[in-house]
């Protein structure tokens, strides 16, 4: 069944001599009756929705604390943080809605919440805002309409008949501890008293490029009130940057959710091992692997945190191999980089490189061990007080020396590690670490001095993911290395004492990986092949 057949807005680009009047064309699939009798009948005799009170979500108090921190950075300014609108996949079919991560962070809202919603933080007298902050926050969204409304049955985008139950103003207010208002009040809330601060107008800061309607509304207000657009762009960018930096150190709730995501991802990797025998032989075995992981992601979480990389043989040397249309052959390694996104929208990001037939060959093991040693060196330095960039440097130190030992570097490891060398990066061209959270590459808009050049702090969560990628086409290396790609990626929580590998339960050492694979295959033999992931 297609969406939107009854209530679709279509932009009009008809030429003057269009053969068919546009109104007819827009409605050319609609067969909904429109008689008064039909409308009255549709509006009648529905049970009232249940009116149980919605309990306060655990995340609400954490989100309030995040807003208070944000508030302190922008006293006296109105902050506008949109969730974004559904994105078109094709024609009138949208992707599943996922709110923008900055909105999710400061509202605490996760899966499904809430298309076209906007959080407005209105400045108050200093200290007179929410929790003693400088702002009062209100959430604007389109609440569910009553069953006696046309929207109930005639609106394919919002109507309960079409998309299921949606929250009321009261429900979201109760659940997230935020005052809520209908979207119809948003325009005034965003634009009232706005203007050039030098002339006494109120300054707006907007998270841009999330909701085009909000961009247009704020731009129009700025133009109408003589606000400098270039200066405003830079102020908006500072808000986006601040929201990104607000997520550099995770709170207790976030760490809990990252554990949920990592644990589900580990179960997804077990599912992958389970289907490996079935992946072998078919033309698109990588898709069998991808599909098994996706089942787990949908079963336990909201979705994937990013498209799964299921890359067998030489495909493992393609860093963003998401076509996953290759075959899976015994004797090869399969590199799988995958993450479950929890319902809270926090994602894991894990990679394991597995021997398809359960045993690493000697050369595979040699390369794998080098990557593992690089990872362990990185873990050693991923502790409070060191710099974020030290983590990458430690991994590169190991890899450059190993490549030198194998005779692959055209220069010494020392020269390769120098700024003007970097020859080893031919086989490890990506970074070793990135922050992880609501976005797989979290905090990406943070200032350099707070990211790459930052001092590592307890509460930071990032990946450690060294790799070596020897392409079949690489004539600079002996043949035995070619067509092998290895990455090992774990998710790390920095603690007061050092760090915790959140993904430690997923085997890393080659002998442990082999034993783990064999254990799953033995289990499956005893209980029979699995039909899909168990809950
Ligand atoms: N899966 C994306 C990354 O590892 O950064
Ligand atoms: Mn990663
Ligand atoms: Mn990854």
């Amino acid at each position: 069944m297609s969406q939107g057949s009854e209530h679709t807005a279509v932009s009009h680009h008809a030429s003057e001599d269009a053969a068919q009047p546009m109104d007819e064309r827009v409605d050319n699939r609609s067969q909904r009756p429109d008689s008064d009798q039909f409308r009255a009948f549709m509006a009648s005799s529905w049970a009232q929705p249940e009116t149980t009170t919605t309990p306060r979500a655990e995340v609400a108090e954490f989100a309030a604390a995040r807003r208070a921190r944000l508030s302190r950075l922008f006293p006296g300014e109105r902050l506008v943080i949109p969730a974004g609108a559904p994105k078109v996949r094709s024609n009138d079919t949208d992707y599943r809605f996922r709110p923008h991560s900055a909105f999710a962070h400061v509202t605490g809202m996760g899966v499904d919440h809430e298309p076209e919603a906007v959080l407005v933080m209105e400045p108050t007298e200093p200290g007179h805002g929410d929790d003693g902050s400088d702002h009062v926050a209100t959430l604007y969204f389109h609440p569910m309409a009553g069953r006696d409304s046309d929207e109930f049955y005639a609106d394919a985008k919002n109507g309960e008949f079409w998309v299921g139950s949606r929250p009321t103003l009261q429900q979201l207010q109760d659940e997230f501890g935020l005052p809520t208002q209908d979207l119809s009040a948003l325009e005034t809330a965003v634009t009232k008293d706005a203007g050039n601060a030098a002339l006494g107008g109120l300054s707006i800061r907007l998270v841009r490029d999330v909701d085009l309607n909000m961009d247009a509304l704020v731009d129009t207000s700025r133009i109408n009130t003589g606000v400098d657009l270039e200066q405003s762009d830079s102020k908006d960018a500072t808000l986006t940057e601040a929201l990104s930096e607000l997520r550099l150190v995770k709170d207790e709730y976030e760490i809990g959710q990252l554990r949920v995501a990592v644990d589900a991802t580990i179960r997804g990797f077990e599912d992958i091992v389970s289907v490996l025998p079935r992946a072998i032989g078919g033309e698109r075995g990588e898709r069998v692997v991808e599909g098994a992981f996706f089942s787990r992601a949908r079963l336990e979480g909201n979705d994937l945190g990013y498209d799964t990389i299921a890359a067998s043989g030489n495909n493992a040397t393609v860093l963003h191999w998401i076509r996953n249309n290759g075959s899976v052959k015994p004797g090869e390694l399969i590199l799988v980089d995958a993450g479950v996104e929890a319902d809270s929208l926090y994602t894991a990001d894990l990679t394991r490189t597995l021997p398809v037939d359960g045993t690493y060959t000697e050369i595979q093991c040699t390369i794998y061990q080098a990557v593992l040693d690089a990872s362990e060196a990185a873990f050693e330095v991923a502790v409070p007080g060191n710099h974020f960039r030290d983590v990458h440097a430690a991994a590169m130190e190991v890899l450059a020396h190993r490549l030198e030992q194998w005779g692959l570097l055209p220069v010494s490891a020392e020269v390769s590690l120098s700024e003007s060398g970097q020859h080893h990066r031919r086989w490890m061209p990506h970074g070793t670490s990135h922050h992880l959270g609501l976005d797989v590459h979290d905090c990406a808009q943070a200032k350099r001095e707070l990211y790459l050049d930052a001092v590592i702090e307890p509460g930071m969560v990032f990946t450690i993911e060294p790799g070596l990628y020897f392409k079949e086409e690489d004539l600079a290396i002996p043949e035995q290395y070619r067509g092998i790609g290895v990455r090992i990626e774990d998710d790390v929580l920095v603690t007061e004492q050092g760090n915790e590998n959140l993904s430690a339960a997923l085997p890393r050492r080659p002998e442990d990986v082999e034993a783990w694979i064999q254990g799953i295959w033995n289990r499956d033999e005893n209980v029979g092949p699995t039909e899909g992931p168990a809950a």
Side-chain angles (χ1 to χ4, degrees), residues 42 46 151-155 158-164:
M42 282 306 287
W46 300 106
E151 178 180 306
F152 168 63
Y153 68 91
D155 184 339
N158 296 301
E160 188 185 356
F161 212 112
W162 290 81
V163 298

Side-chain angles (χ1 to χ4, degrees), residues 306-307 309 320 337-338 349 351 434 440-441 463 465 487 489:
Y306 54 90
D307 284 326
I309 296 170
H320 287 169
D337 183 339
D349 179 12
T351 306
H434 57 79
V440 62
H441 297 158
T463 64
E465 51 175 307
R487 177 163 65 255
E489 178 172 25

Side-chain angles (χ1 to χ4, degrees), residues 75 85 94 127 141 151 159 197 301 392 416 444 517 523-524:
D94 293 338
F141 77 103
E151 178 180 306
H392 178 65
S416 189
I517 291 175
R523 179 203 67 189
D524 289 352

Side-chain angles (χ1 to χ4, degrees), residues 185-319:
L186 179 64
E187 183 170 335
T188 308
V190 169
T191 58
K192 73 169 182 262
D193 306 327
N196 192 327
L199 305 175
L202 190 69
S203 158
I204 306 173
R205 288 193 196 240
L206 166 71
V207 180
R208 297 188 76 83
D209 301 326
V210 176
D211 184 330
L212 296 183
N213 288 331
M214 279 300 101
D215 289 4
L217 178 65
V218 170
D219 284 345
T220 306
S221 159
R222 283 172 175 163
I223 290 164
N224 290 344
T225 57
V227 173
D228 184 299
L229 288 185
E230 224 167 278
Q231 248 180 31
S232 299
D233 268 358
S234 135
K235 289 177 87 175
D236 290 344
T238 308
L239 173 60
T240 299
E241 183 181 271
L243 283 159
S244 206
E245 292 169 356
L246 203 60
R247 286 151 47 194
L248 282 163
V249 172
K250 269 59 184 177
D251 60 35
E252 202 186 311
Y253 174 83
E254 296 182 285
I255 292 167
Q257 288 305 307
L258 282 161
R259 287 185 196 281
V260 167
V262 167
D263 292 349
T265 299
I266 291 173
R267 285 187 282 277
F269 272 85
E270 286 164 4
D271 298 335
I272 286 167
V273 171
S274 209
V275 299
L276 259 187
R278 189 152 62 77
I280 294 171
E283 246 176 57
R284 297 219 255 175
E286 290 173 348
R287 292 283 170 93
V288 175
V289 169
E290 177 191 322
F293 190 83
F294 184 61
S295 289
R296 179 61 64 178
R298 288 292 291 161
L299 180 70
E300 290 201 42
N302 174 48
D303 207 324
L304 302 167
Y306 54 90
D307 284 326
T308 296
I309 296 170
S312 200
N314 194 45
N315 292 341
T317 68
V318 180
L319 297 179

Side-chain angles (χ1 to χ4, degrees), residues 3-76:
Q3 296 173 9
S5 55
E6 301 292 339
H7 203 86
T8 310
V10 175
S11 56
H12 291 219
H13 297 291
S15 60
E16 292 286 303
D17 60 357
Q20 197 179 10
M22 184 45 83
D23 283 356
E24 276 176 37
R25 268 208 239 157
V26 168
D27 282 341
N28 64 3
R29 292 195 302 123
S30 175
Q31 301 184 71
R32 175 162 49 80
D34 201 26
S35 69
D36 288 346
Q37 277 192 45
F38 171 76
R39 292 165 63 129
F41 183 48
M42 282 306 287
S44 67
S45 304
W46 300 106
Q48 284 307 304
E50 281 179 33
T51 53
T52 50
T53 51
T54 312
R56 183 64 49 90
E58 182 197 348
V59 69
E61 64 172 294
F62 292 96
R66 297 168 199 162
R67 289 194 296 275
R69 281 173 58 210
L70 184 69
S71 166
R72 268 174 239 128
L73 302 174
F74 302 104

Side-chain angles (χ1 to χ4, degrees), residues 36-219:
D36 288 346
Q37 277 192 45
F38 171 76
R39 292 165 63 129
F41 183 48
M42 282 306 287
S44 67
S45 304
W46 300 106
Q48 284 307 304
E50 281 179 33
T51 53
T52 50
T53 51
T54 312
R56 183 64 49 90
E58 182 197 348
V59 69
E61 64 172 294
F62 292 96
R66 297 168 199 162
R67 289 194 296 275
R69 281 173 58 210
L70 184 69
S71 166
R72 268 174 239 128
L73 302 174
F74 302 104
E77 297 186 272
R78 180 175 295 147
L79 309 181
V80 181
I81 306 170
K87 293 187 173 61
V88 174
R89 184 177 185 280
S90 80
N91 186 29
D92 58 358
T93 308
D94 293 338
Y95 290 102
R96 272 193 201 96
F97 177 73
R98 184 196 189 277
H100 188 267
S101 296
F103 173 89
H105 190 239
V106 293
T107 60
M109 288 180 193
V111 57
D112 290 343
H113 291 330
E114 190 51 56
E116 293 172 3
V118 179
L119 183 77
V120 178
M121 291 176 58
E122 183 69 10
T124 61
E125 289 288 311
H128 285 70
D130 301 333
D131 302 316
S133 74
D134 299 347
H135 291 82
V136 169
T138 303
L139 179 77
Y140 294 83
F141 77 103
H142 186 79
M144 184 170 71
R147 290 174 181 165
D148 56 354
S149 67
D150 282 2
E151 178 180 306
F152 168 63
Y153 68 91
D155 184 339
K157 218 173 79 176
N158 296 301
E160 188 185 356
F161 212 112
W162 290 81
V163 298
S165 171
R166 295 184 48 255
T168 62
L169 291 173
Q170 192 62 48
Q171 279 167 346
L172 277 197
Q173 178 157 329
D174 291 345
E175 190 172 355
F176 295 98
L178 269 168
T180 52
Q181 285 211 39
D182 191 281
L183 265 190
S184 57
L186 179 64
E187 183 170 335
T188 308
V190 169
T191 58
K192 73 169 182 262
D193 306 327
N196 192 327
L199 305 175
L202 190 69
S203 158
I204 306 173
R205 288 193 196 240
L206 166 71
V207 180
R208 297 188 76 83
D209 301 326
V210 176
D211 184 330
L212 296 183
N213 288 331
M214 279 300 101
D215 289 4
L217 178 65
V218 170
D219 284 345

